[in-house]
């Protein structure tokens, strides 16, 4: 019965849409003599292991061995460490050039105003500054719109040109966005610069797939360490944003060697950044103090407040992204218009609140009152700046301006912490002497401002360890660690349940919805049990808020590849089938023998009835044990009739649908296995011809990507 397992890859056929699920899903005629009185008879046919009947197009199939796509571990190759060092060198140089470019553009457009501080604009007559304040950000939006159009034009070119020119154009757009004062930050682009450099170096020097994720982590660490001049925080950022969120298939790398690569890259990039930009930290740490351990509850309250502010920030960004997308698709407003409107809106807001303009971290220094001879801002104005900065930054992101959320998060955190600290100090100073609150020694507002910066950064970007290490590295004060941990932990906890790191490939596919239609299943009343797995209406996508947090092993090339691969090329053509009359012990034995975690339930006509998984059997065995039932005589029909949700197939695939659509819908319904039925259906119950799971999708993508890479290298060698 056992046959050699192979992965059958079919030649691509012209793409076309096909129905995914019949309007009336297959009935489930499961019977049980213990739990139900179904009128359907128990079918008497034994289970089997099936090599599926393949579609007609399978005549020219190509058999690819699994071993051909599994690379050996080459971390001991000296090229790996050399590649990591080169990533650090080139990322450090690129970040220095990027920041110098931002400064040059800022000096050209603002004529030295940022060096006098944003508060100086409040002292200037409105007639003398309104033109510059409004139209400089709008001019930046116009230039960014042109650069975005150029990026879209490049996306139609070859992959290599798209990867190189696209990264350069995006960096230029970020330079213009930040140089003209729009409300975003430079650290996100710095991380993306590092990841782009890592991808290019990997493609040139080290093509081992197992080291690509490590190089991406090294690039991310180099970007943060050179942007903040904080190498330790950069290393932890790489772990939190790249290594931890990666899938198990991508993370099967040597942890020790990966850590070495990340550290080397971060240190080298930080050294180059110090040479090119100076050894000063990103922002000036103000003088502050901690008075008493009794203040810790106050810092915990600050963490709760920062968590709520972070949640509002993320939700507003996600909401505005949806609004702008609807304006583009439904109303028909061209995309190039939005960056101009975004810059114009920022300029209008800056007339009343000039502090929201990005002028480096000078405005953060202003909030923390770390600049000498500069008057601090009042508590009520600080609270206003929190709300206005959230609105301005969300508008910039939604309208297509380019930049990161790290600097705005630090600004909002500083304003929140300073306002909170001033409010606490005022409340204690004005308290009734009978309450004796004056015995509680409260630290200066600057201490709360620093803790608030880390708490908001952790809440918005979901990098709590990075936030703690960044502030500790900049302050070099161990006393701040305990308040930091408490506030950051609470803030991150509040937002973690409302934010999800969605698949970058799926996000990009949704962004390209005007050019690509995702095939959606038709649902029925029988699938309502899966509604709990769907995301809430305004569930925040962390990758939309800060794209640099989703630098993983996927790329636009992978998304394009998945569009061109059909289910018939990726599905397993060997699968276990069982009948409703099959013994559960026999079904488990078959799954164990053939190393399968599920079995397709069919009837006498080989029509799909349902799907049986090992998890279902394991849960039912506990129920049967409690009922003192003999497990040796239990049938498949009994497990399916005991619980209406078990054995049901909420969604089925067809051979001619692309695996990008299949994978996105599997993610939506949290499915690990999907039966594939033939195009010809009978009474909305098709004959199963294969089984699609995540492992075979990943393996097929890797195999075809490797084959295309080999073909490209062969052609290139012939040309040269």
């Amino acid at each position: 019965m056992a046959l050699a397992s192979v992965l059958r890859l079919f030649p691509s056929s012209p793409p076309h849409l096909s129905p995914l699920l019949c309007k009336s899903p297959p009935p489930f005629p499961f019977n049980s003599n213990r739990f139900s009185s179904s009128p359907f008879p128990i079918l008497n046919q034994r289970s089997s292991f099936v090599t599926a009947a393949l579609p007609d197009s399978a005549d020219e199939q190509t058999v690819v061995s699994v071993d051909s796509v599994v690379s050996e571990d080459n971390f001991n190759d000296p090229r790996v460490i050399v590649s990591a060092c080169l990533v650090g060198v080139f990322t450090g140089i690129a970040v220095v050039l990027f920041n110098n470019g931002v400064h040059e553009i800022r000096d050209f457009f603002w004529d030295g105003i940022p060096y006098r501080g944003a508060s100086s604009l409040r002292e200037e007559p409105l007639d003398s500054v309104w033109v510059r304040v409004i139209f400089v950000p709008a001019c930046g939006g116009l230039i960014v719109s042109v650069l975005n159009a150029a990026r879209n034009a490049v996306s139609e070119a070859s992959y290599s040109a798209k990867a190189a020119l696209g990264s350069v154009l995006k960096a230029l757009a970020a330079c213009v966005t930040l140089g003209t004062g729009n409300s975003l930050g430079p650290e996100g682009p710095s991380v993306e610069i590092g990841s782009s450099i890592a991808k290019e170096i990997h493609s040139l020097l080290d093509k081992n797939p197992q080291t690509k994720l490590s190089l991406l982590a090294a690039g991310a660490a180099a970007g943060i360490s050179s942007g903040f001049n904080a190498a330790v925080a950069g290393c932890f950022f790489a772990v939190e944003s790249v290594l931890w969120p990666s899938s198990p298939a991508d993370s099967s790398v040597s942890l020790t060697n990966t850590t070495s690569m990340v550290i080397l890259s971060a240190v080298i990039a930080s050294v180059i950044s110090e040479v090119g930009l100076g050894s000063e930290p990103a922002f000036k740490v103000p003088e502050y103090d901690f008075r008493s351990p009794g203040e810790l509850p106050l810092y915990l309250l600050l963490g709760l407040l920062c968590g709520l502010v972070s949640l509002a920030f993320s939700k507003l960004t996600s909401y505005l992204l949806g609004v702008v997308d609807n304006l583009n698709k439904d109303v028909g407003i061209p995309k190039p218009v939005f960056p101009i409107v975004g810059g114009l809106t920022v300029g209008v807001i800056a007339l009343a609140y000039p502090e929201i303009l990005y002028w480096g971290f000078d405005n953060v220094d202003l909030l923390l009152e770390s600049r000498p001879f500069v008057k601090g801002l009042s508590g009520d104005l600080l609270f206003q700046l929190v709300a206005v900065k959230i609105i301005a930054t969300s508008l910039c992101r939604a309208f297509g301006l380019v930049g990161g959320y790290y600097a705005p998060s630090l600004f909002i955190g500083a304003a929140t912490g300073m306002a909170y600290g001033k409010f606490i100090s005022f409340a204690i100073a004005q308290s009734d002497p009978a309450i004796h609150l004056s015995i509680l020694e409260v630290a200066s507002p600057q201490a709360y401002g620093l803790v608030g910066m880390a708490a908001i950064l952790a809440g918005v970007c979901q990098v709590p360890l990075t936030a703690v290490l960044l502030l500790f590295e900049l302050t070099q004060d161990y006393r701040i660690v305990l308040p930091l941990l408490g506030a950051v932990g609470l803030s991150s906890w509040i937002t973690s349940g409302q934010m999800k790191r969605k698949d970058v490939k799926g996000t990009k596919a949704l962004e390209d919805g005007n050019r690509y239609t995702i095939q959606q299943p038709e649902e029925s009343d029988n699938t309502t049990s899966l509604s709990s797995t769907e995301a809430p209406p305004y569930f925040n996508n962390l990758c939309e808020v800060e794209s640099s947090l989703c630098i993983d092993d996927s790329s636009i090339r992978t998304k394009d590849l998945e569009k061109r691969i059909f289910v018939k090329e990726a599905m397993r053509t060997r699968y276990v089938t069982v009948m409703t009359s099959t013994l559960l012990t026999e079904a488990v034995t078959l799954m164990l023998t053939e190393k399968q975690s599920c079995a397709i339930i069919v009837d006498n006509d080989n029509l799909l009835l349902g799907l049986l998984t090992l998890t279902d059997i394991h849960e039912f065995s506990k129920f049967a044990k409690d009922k003192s039932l003999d497990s040796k005589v239990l049938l498949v029909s009994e497990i399916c009739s005991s619980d209406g949700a078990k054995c049901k197939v909420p969604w089925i695939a067809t051979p001619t649908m692309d695996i990008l659509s299949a994978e996105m819908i599997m993610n939506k319904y949290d499915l690990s296995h999907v039966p594939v039925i033939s195009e010809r259906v009978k009474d909305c119950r098709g004959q199963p011809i294969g089984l699609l799971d995540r492992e075979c999708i990943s393996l097929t993508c890797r195999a075809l990507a490797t084959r295309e890479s080999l073909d490209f290298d062969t052609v290139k060698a012939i040309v040269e």
Side-chain angles (χ1 to χ4, degrees):
M1 185 183 299
L3 299 175
S5 298
V6 295
L7 176 64
R8 301 181 184 272
L9 300 179
F10 294 82
S12 298
S13 58
H16 63 277
L17 300 180
S18 61
L20 303 184
L21 187 64
C22 298
K23 293 184 179 179
S24 298
F28 298 89
F30 302 123
N31 186 28
S32 171
N33 56 354
R34 296 182 177 89
F35 309 109
S36 69
S37 58
S38 172
F40 296 98
I42 297 178
L43 301 174
N44 296 314
Q45 183 172 338
R46 295 184 61 82
S47 56
S48 62
F49 185 82
V50 177
T51 300
L54 301 176
D56 296 337
S57 60
D59 296 337
E60 299 177 1
Q61 56 189 318
T62 303
V63 180
V64 179
S65 171
V66 175
D67 294 335
S68 64
V69 294
V70 180
S71 301
E72 295 182 357
D73 190 357
N74 292 326
F75 277 93
N76 293 328
D77 192 333
R79 288 180 299 177
V80 174
I81 295 299
V82 172
S83 299
C85 294
L86 290 177
V87 168
V89 170
F90 287 111
T91 300
I93 295 174
V95 170
V96 169
L97 295 175
F98 172 73
N99 281 277
N100 287 333
V102 172
H103 295 159
E104 292 296 329
I105 295 174
R106 183 179 66 183
D107 293 342
F108 175 79
F109 279 101
W110 290 103
D111 193 25
I113 294 178
Y115 297 103
R116 300 197 297 269
S119 298
S120 64
L121 291 178
R122 295 181 179 274
E123 302 170 359
E124 297 286 340
L126 188 61
D127 296 340
S128 62
V129 297
W130 74 270
V131 174
R132 187 185 297 270
V133 172
I134 291 179
F135 288 103
V136 167
C139 181
L142 175 61
I143 300 174
V144 169
S145 180
V146 174
L147 292 172
N148 287 344
R151 286 170 56 201
N152 293 333
V154 169
S155 65
E156 304 299 330
S158 63
Y159 172 72
S160 57
K162 177 169 58 177
L165 293 178
S167 300
V168 173
L169 291 174
K170 188 172 185 179
L172 289 176
C175 278
V176 175
T177 297
L178 303 174
T180 53
N182 286 286
S183 182
L184 289 169
E187 287 73 29
S190 298
V191 173
E192 294 187 354
I193 288 172
S195 66
S196 299
I197 291 174
K199 291 177 183 178
E200 293 299 321
I201 290 178
H202 176 267
S203 64
L204 293 174
L205 298 181
D206 180 19
K207 298 184 179 181
N208 180 11
Q210 290 187 343
T211 61
K212 184 175 182 180
L213 186 67
S214 301
L215 280 179
L216 288 176
I224 284 292
S225 63
S226 57
F228 283 110
N229 196 11
V232 177
C235 294
F236 277 84
F237 175 82
V239 173
E240 288 188 294
S241 66
V242 179
L243 298 179
W244 281 354
S246 61
S247 63
D250 291 332
S251 60
S252 58
V253 296
S254 171
L255 180 60
T256 302
N257 288 282
T258 299
T259 305
S260 302
M261 295 167 64
V262 167
I263 292 175
L264 283 173
S265 181
V267 170
I268 293 173
S270 183
V271 170
I272 293 177
S273 177
E274 286 191 16
V275 174
L277 301 175
S279 58
E280 294 295 324
F283 54 89
K284 296 180 180 178
V285 179
E287 294 183 1
Y288 64 94
D289 56 354
F290 291 97
R291 299 293 181 83
S292 168
E295 282 187 282
L296 185 59
L298 297 178
Y299 287 104
L300 297 179
L301 289 176
L302 175 60
L304 292 174
L305 175 61
C306 290
L308 296 176
V309 171
S310 301
L311 191 60
F313 191 13
S314 302
K315 282 187 173 293
L316 181 60
T317 300
S318 298
Y319 174 76
L320 290 178
L321 283 167
V323 169
V324 171
D325 186 61
N326 291 334
L327 289 174
N328 172 244
K329 293 180 180 179
D330 299 337
V331 182
I333 300 177
K335 285 187 177 181
V337 174
F338 291 115
I340 303 174
V341 176
L344 191 64
T345 304
V346 169
V348 172
I349 296 175
L351 286 177
Y353 301 95
E355 291 83 4
I356 68 166
L357 295 170
Y358 176 76
W359 289 341
F361 282 93
D362 292 338
N363 288 339
V364 174
D365 295 337
L366 174 66
L367 297 179
L368 295 175
E369 301 177 7
S370 58
R371 299 179 64 177
F373 311 111
V374 175
K375 183 180 179 181
L377 303 179
S378 62
D380 58 343
L381 180 56
L382 288 170
F383 277 122
Q384 294 175 40
L385 284 175
V386 171
V388 172
K389 184 69 173 180
I390 288 175
I391 295 173
T393 305
S394 299
L395 286 172
C396 286
R397 165 68 79 226
F399 282 134
L401 294 164
V402 183
Y405 262 38
Y406 303 100
S409 297
L410 293 175
F411 179 97
I412 294 170
T416 302
M418 287 291 294
Y420 176 83
K422 290 187 176 185
F423 172 78
I424 293 297
S425 298
F426 175 80
I428 291 179
Q430 299 297 322
S431 62
D432 189 340
I435 303 178
H436 299 291
L437 288 180
S438 58
I439 63 174
L440 178 62
E441 298 185 42
V442 179
S444 60
Q446 285 82 354
Y448 291 96
L450 291 172
V451 174
M453 293 170 70
I456 294 290
L457 179 62
V460 173
C461 300
Q462 289 296 293
V463 284
L465 292 179
T466 301
V468 171
L469 267 296
L470 175 64
L471 266 295
F472 176 68
E473 192 171 3
L474 294 177
T475 60
Q476 298 182 1
D477 187 354
Y478 183 78
R479 296 177 302 165
I480 201 174
V481 171
L482 192 60
L484 275 177
L485 290 174
V488 165
L490 281 175
S491 177
S492 181
W493 172 74
I494 290 175
T495 58
S496 61
Q498 299 293 323
M499 302 189 72
K500 184 177 181 181
R501 193 185 302 265
K502 293 183 182 177
D503 192 353
V504 179
K505 295 175 285 186
T507 301
K508 290 178 179 177
L510 290 174
E511 291 173 353
D512 297 338
N514 57 331
R515 294 183 286 110
Y516 174 67
T517 302
I518 298 172
Q519 307 172 36
Q520 294 290 348
E522 298 179 13
E523 299 176 18
S524 66
D525 296 336
N526 291 349
T527 62
T528 54
S529 61
L530 291 177
S531 60
S532 60
T533 63
E534 299 182 26
Y538 291 107
F539 204 90
N540 300 322
N541 184 354
L542 191 59
C543 299
E544 289 180 345
V545 174
E546 179 52 69
S547 59
S548 66
L549 292 171
C550 297
I551 306 295
D552 59 7
D553 204 14
S554 62
S555 63
I556 298 177
R557 185 182 185 185
T558 304
K559 184 196 73 173
D560 293 337
L561 184 64
E562 289 192 344
K563 286 183 183 180
R564 296 185 281 112
I565 301 176
F566 297 102
V567 168
K568 64 184 178 183
E569 302 175 85
M571 68 182 185
R572 298 184 186 276
T573 56
R574 289 173 53 84
Y575 52 90
V576 176
T577 61
V578 296
M579 310 295 295
T580 54
S581 58
T582 303
L583 293 173
L584 287 181
T585 54
E586 184 180 353
V588 173
T589 301
L590 268 176
M591 286 188 253
L592 179 62
T593 302
E594 302 300 339
K595 306 302 183 292
Q596 302 281 347
S597 61
C598 67
I600 296 178
I601 308 173
V602 297
D603 61 9
N604 281 329
D605 297 324
N606 196 34
L607 295 179
L608 175 68
L609 291 180
L611 194 67
L612 182 66
T613 66
L614 283 175
T615 302
D616 293 337
I617 298 176
H618 179 69
E619 293 176 355
F620 182 73
S621 65
K622 296 179 180 178
F623 171 77
K625 185 177 181 180
D626 293 338
K627 296 292 184 179
S628 300
L629 302 178
D630 187 1
S631 60
K632 296 181 180 180
V633 297
L634 294 176
L635 304 177
V636 171
S637 59
E638 293 176 319
I639 186 175
C640 295
S641 61
S642 65
D643 187 343
K646 284 185 171 62
C647 302
K648 287 190 175 181
V649 180
W651 180 73
I652 52 179
T654 54
T656 54
M657 85 176 285
D658 60 83
I659 63 172
L660 178 60
S661 296
E663 190 174 21
M664 292 181 64
I665 299 174
M666 289 172 68
N667 291 336
K668 177 181 179 181
Y669 290 98
D670 195 22
L671 302 176
S672 56
H673 301 84
V674 173
V676 183
I677 64 170
S678 59
E679 297 286 355
R680 302 181 181 89
V681 296
K682 177 182 178 182
D683 297 330
C684 295
R685 292 168 56 193
Q687 292 187 350
I689 60 173
L691 187 67
L692 186 69
D693 58 42
R694 299 181 185 277
E695 182 182 0
C696 63
I697 290 176
S698 174
L699 182 60
T700 304
C701 289
R702 291 169 56 195
L704 291 182
T706 303
R707 188 173 68 181
E708 290 188 359
S709 177
L710 291 174
D711 293 341
F712 175 79
D713 292 340
T714 302
V715 173
K716 183 178 178 182
I718 294 175
V719 172
E720 293 177 349

